[in-house]
Amino acid sequence: MGTSAETRQAADAARTGRGRAARVRSAALRWDTAVGVLLVAVLVAGLGTTDGFGSGENLAFAFNDIVEVAVIALPMTLLVVAGQVDLSVASMLGLGSALTGALWNAGWAFETIVPVVLLAGVAGGLLNGWLVTRVGLPSLAVTIGTLALYRGLASVVLGSDAVTDFPRTYADWTVDTTTVPGTFVTYPVLLFAVLAMVTGIVLHATALGRSLFAIGSQEEAAYFAGIRVKRIKLLLFVVTGLFASFAGVLFTLRYGSARADNGLGFEMLVIASVLLGGVDFDGGKGTVFGAVAGVLLIGVLKNLLTLNDIANEVQVIVTGLLLVASVLTPRVIAAVLERRHRRSTADGPS
Amino acid sequence: MMLRSTAGRRAVATAATAVSLALALAACSGTTKDSVGEGSAKSGRTAKADPDAPLKKGLKLAFLPKQINNPYEKIVDDAGIAAAGEFGGTGKEVGPSDAGASSQVSYINTLIQQRQDAILVAANDPNAVCGPLKQAMKKGIKVVAYDSDTAKDCRQLFINQASSEQIGRGLVQHLGEQIGYKGRIAILSATQNATNQNTWIGFMQDELKLPRYKDMKLVKVAYGDDADQKSFQQTQGLMQAYPDLKGIISPTTVGIAAAARYLSDSSYKGKVVLNGLGTPNQMRKYVKDGTVEQFSLWNPEELGYLGSYAAAALASGRITGAQGEKFKAGRLGEYTVGKDGEVILGKPTVFDRGNIDKFDF
């Protein structure tokens, strides 16, 4: 470790990495803008073709309906940019929901339940992060394990019961009928907007955000550049756990039903939204704007297709195709750019 | 262990302080289960019924089953849609492909936007669908639960296949006769939260308390989640865990068919008695090859048919869902709304080798 040759190698890797990153970044930029444009196009098409789509009530519903996925997509964006992934988020949502229900049943005050549930999320995130950074296991493997573990714990905590006797006043704040006066924005969506803004600032305007890109594109180089890779990764998993357990509380209140199987399969929806938004699964590139546009696009498309009585299977296919396109397109663009670049250097004077 | 740094320790300390503060706060005041009063159970049945009102033409009915690829619910919904044609209305079936607690919610919202006249719903979770259904009723859309009920204040009518008590007790009585009231038995249900399944199972357990069943012991309730493969595996698991099992009751059409498929290919064929709720077309083969002696079901076509007419009567103002109101359901004749807006279709039919070929559904 640390011979001058190795240092030089790492520096080279970082340089070529950065070069590639710059080139790919322009493609990524185009992709996430494209997703934003697509979102607007779908909105406009919906307004023009589908009765009831444009009503404030429906828009409130369409956005509110994906709010838990959207909330979890924010820390997931940071994780994926740093080259990591967390598949245990939906299970953590379920665990958060189960804990909320079990503690409520036990007569705890809601004001106490929420911090305890959030702490559970932090603990779950710590375990994920610890296994990844200290034990050195890949995050995919770790979180496939904790996906089962947290869902199992949720079933232990609440069994097969559903707890439903939450006060109506809480639910009223989370359903799509209560909106910020004069708009179709519901309070959960408003909260998401604030969180999205904070996440955007962290990723795109702070040193921490720059470190995430560095870790995602060249982890070793980032380490040699003095970035505290392990600590940052640990922090990312903790924040993700925190957000996921918070989404569990939100989900419970919105449906008025705390259950261990809440949010089953949501992890795929979260990751699909993030990738659709142009965040590279290999790490190192992506924008919060893209991820937000991705999750909104999935939500609006689902609403629009349902309004038009398109069968659920077709909806799944549409989402799948979009996802494949989102993973493929930037790569195709990058490959084309690469070839053009190579040809131009080959054609140049020698 | 991983928090060796001072920053880490400080973070933990802060978190701990925050939690103890929250706990202290909560101890003084806070919203707990006990401090929340029972919500006022008001229902939307304030309008007056006009029993002579004609059935409206062009009514739009939407069926929202637990999941769209459930063969049983397809039969119910198709019959309901056909019935809508009889009184000049239209019907359609929409729904999720999984039976998750919350997956029906987005469909209810879109049905509101599409301004349907009535929504007929087989609820996956009695409460998760409540908010949007109440919103639908507020907008004048009639809500009829069928097959699996919602919470009582979230619908105007519940069309019950047969009284839950008849079904639960009946299945135990049949199985008891078949195994001579002796031996260990198990139940293969659908999902753990299915309202109808759990009500039936409750009555089964109650029936088993009678002295006549003192030598029959319910050893396990297994859940196949209304998925064929999982129900098959659960049956396999039951037989492995209890090789001396005498009988299985599967009160779900998906479950009983999967269980019959497993038994018919295993050494338990003819030794383990399988009873429950199934459709004749699914079970014909197993009745003929001797795997299954008999099973029961109400007529699902009649269930959908009755649901359709009930929804039309509601949407035309003939009934409001109050106890004692009467309405005509086409060829099925007159029905009376019971307690809590419940309408009971009738007694289940028992299918066996003698009569199964008379039915095609």
Side-chain angles (χ1 to χ4, degrees), chain A residues 312-338:
Chain A
N312 199 293
E313 290 87 341
V314 181
Q315 299 193 14
V316 176
I317 293 172
V318 169
T319 321
L321 284 178
L322 265 176
L323 187 61
V324 172
S326 69
V327 177
L328 272 184
T329 314
R331 263 154 230 262
V332 171
I333 293 173
V336 169
L337 287 180
E338 178 94 7

Side-chain angles (χ1 to χ4, degrees), chain B residues 75-341:
Chain B
I75 297 165
V76 178
D77 297 349
D78 282 351
I81 292 165
E86 283 183 17
F87 50 77
T90 54
K92 65 171 179 180
E93 184 195 46
V94 294
S97 49
D98 68 293
S102 56
S103 39
Q104 289 175 318
V105 168
S106 44
Y107 287 90
I108 298 169
N109 168 69
T110 48
L111 293 174
I112 297 173
Q113 302 308 326
Q114 292 171 340
R115 296 187 202 88
Q116 302 288 325
D117 293 299
I119 297 173
L120 293 103
V121 59
N124 281 324
D125 179 296
N127 289 288
V129 288
C130 246
L133 285 180
K134 280 185 180 163
Q135 227 177 307
M137 289 196 287
K138 228 184 270 169
K139 292 185 182 294
I141 298 172
K142 305 301 173 189
V143 177
V144 177
Y146 67 98
D147 187 35
S148 181
D149 203 3
T150 68
K152 288 181 178 34
D153 55 337
C154 307
R155 45 80 176 158
Q156 278 130 338
L157 286 180
F158 170 48
I159 312 294
N160 206 344
Q161 301 89 347
S163 99
S164 301
E165 186 162 359
Q166 263 174 4
I167 292 176
R169 294 190 190 279
L171 287 176
V172 172
Q173 287 157 5
H174 291 157
L175 189 72
E177 280 171 32
Q178 288 177 291
I179 64 171
Y181 302 99
K182 220 176 183 141
R184 304 217 263 182
I185 62 165
I187 294 172
L188 174 64
S189 178
T191 58
Q192 291 191 327
N193 298 290
T195 326
N196 52 357
Q197 300 278 326
N198 290 341
T199 316
W200 298 332
I201 293 171
F203 280 113
M204 288 183 206
Q205 285 164 332
D206 198 56
E207 176 75 14
L208 282 168
K209 285 184 193 138
L210 295 178
R212 149 167 37 143
Y213 304 102
K214 62 178 187 334
D215 295 328
M216 264 168 77
K217 191 170 181 288
L218 175 63
V219 288
K220 185 171 174 148
V221 180
Y223 297 94
D225 292 346
D226 260 351
D228 182 64
Q229 191 60 27
K230 186 154 185 214
S231 304
F232 185 89
Q233 288 162 353
Q234 290 289 324
T235 315
Q236 200 172 12
L238 277 177
M239 294 318 303
Q240 256 153 26
Y242 310 99
D244 61 337
L245 208 62
K246 283 282 173 284
I248 300 174
I249 296 178
S250 185
T252 151
T253 58
V254 179
I256 194 175
R261 186 158 56 88
Y262 173 73
L263 292 178
S264 71
D265 286 340
S266 76
S267 58
Y268 302 106
K269 179 177 169 179
K271 289 181 193 141
V272 179
V273 174
L274 177 64
N275 207 321
L277 306 175
T279 70
N281 284 353
Q282 264 179 317
M283 299 300 291
R284 197 176 321 273
K285 179 171 139 201
Y286 303 113
V287 168
K288 299 213 160 161
D289 78 359
T291 310
V292 174
E293 218 174 288
Q294 55 146 272
F295 61 95
S296 320
L297 196 69
W298 50 90
N299 188 329
E301 288 176 338
E302 289 178 357
L303 179 68
Y305 187 89
L306 176 59
S308 226
Y309 270 93
L314 271 176
S316 306
R318 280 193 174 183
I319 55 172
T320 61
Q323 188 170 359
E325 289 174 342
K326 294 180 192 308
F327 67 99
K328 269 255 170 58
R331 58 179 152 84
L332 293 181
E334 193 173 67
Y335 279 84
T336 308
V337 179
K339 199 171 154 275
D340 293 325

Side-chain angles (χ1 to χ4, degrees), chain B residues 31-89:
Chain B
T31 323
T32 64
K33 196 180 162 104
D34 298 331
S35 71
V36 182
E38 266 292 296
S40 60
K42 66 171 171 65
S43 71
R45 294 180 201 120
T46 41
K48 264 187 69 176
D50 174 9
D52 301 322
L55 278 189
K56 281 186 190 157
K57 293 281 166 206
L59 288 174
K60 289 197 289 180
L61 311 184
F63 286 82
L64 181 51
K66 287 183 178 173
Q67 68 198 100
I68 38 167
N69 44 13
N70 180 321
Y72 163 74
E73 302 219 321
K74 180 94 179 101
I75 297 165
V76 178
D77 297 349
D78 282 351
I81 292 165
E86 283 183 17
F87 50 77

Side-chain angles (χ1 to χ4, degrees), chain A residues 51-52 55 57-58 61 65 104-105 107-112 115 119 126 130 134 160-162 164-165 167 170 176-177 231 234 251 255-257 259 261-262 302-303 306-309 312-313 315, chain B residues 1-5 7 15 19 22-23 26-27 29-34 36 68-69 92 94-97 101-102 105-107 109-110 112-115 124-125 127-128 131 134-135 139 192-193:
Chain A
D51 278 348
S55 76
E57 191 186 60
N58 184 57
F61 180 89
D65 199 33
W104 179 254
N105 255 356
W108 285 43
F110 200 78
E111 293 80 343
T112 323
L119 261 191
L126 271 175
W130 182 72
R134 300 294 147 135
S160 57
D161 294 343
T164 55
D165 52 348
Y170 292 145
D176 39 290
T177 39
R231 180 177 301 186
L234 185 69
F251 191 96
Y255 290 106
S257 189
R259 292 165 54 137
D261 64 351
N262 273 347
K302 183 174 177 239
N303 178 265
T306 313
L307 265 180
N308 284 303
D309 289 339
N312 199 293
E313 290 87 341
Q315 299 193 14
Chain B
M1 61 205 133
M2 70 215 92
L3 296 169
R4 253 166 268 150
S5 65
V19 173
L23 286 168
S29 69
T31 323
T32 64
K33 196 180 162 104
D34 298 331
V36 182
I68 38 167
N69 44 13
K92 65 171 179 180
V94 294
S97 49
S102 56
V105 168
S106 44
Y107 287 90
N109 168 69
T110 48
I112 297 173
Q113 302 308 326
Q114 292 171 340
R115 296 187 202 88
N124 281 324
D125 179 296
N127 289 288
K134 280 185 180 163
Q135 227 177 307
K139 292 185 182 294
Q192 291 191 327
N193 298 290

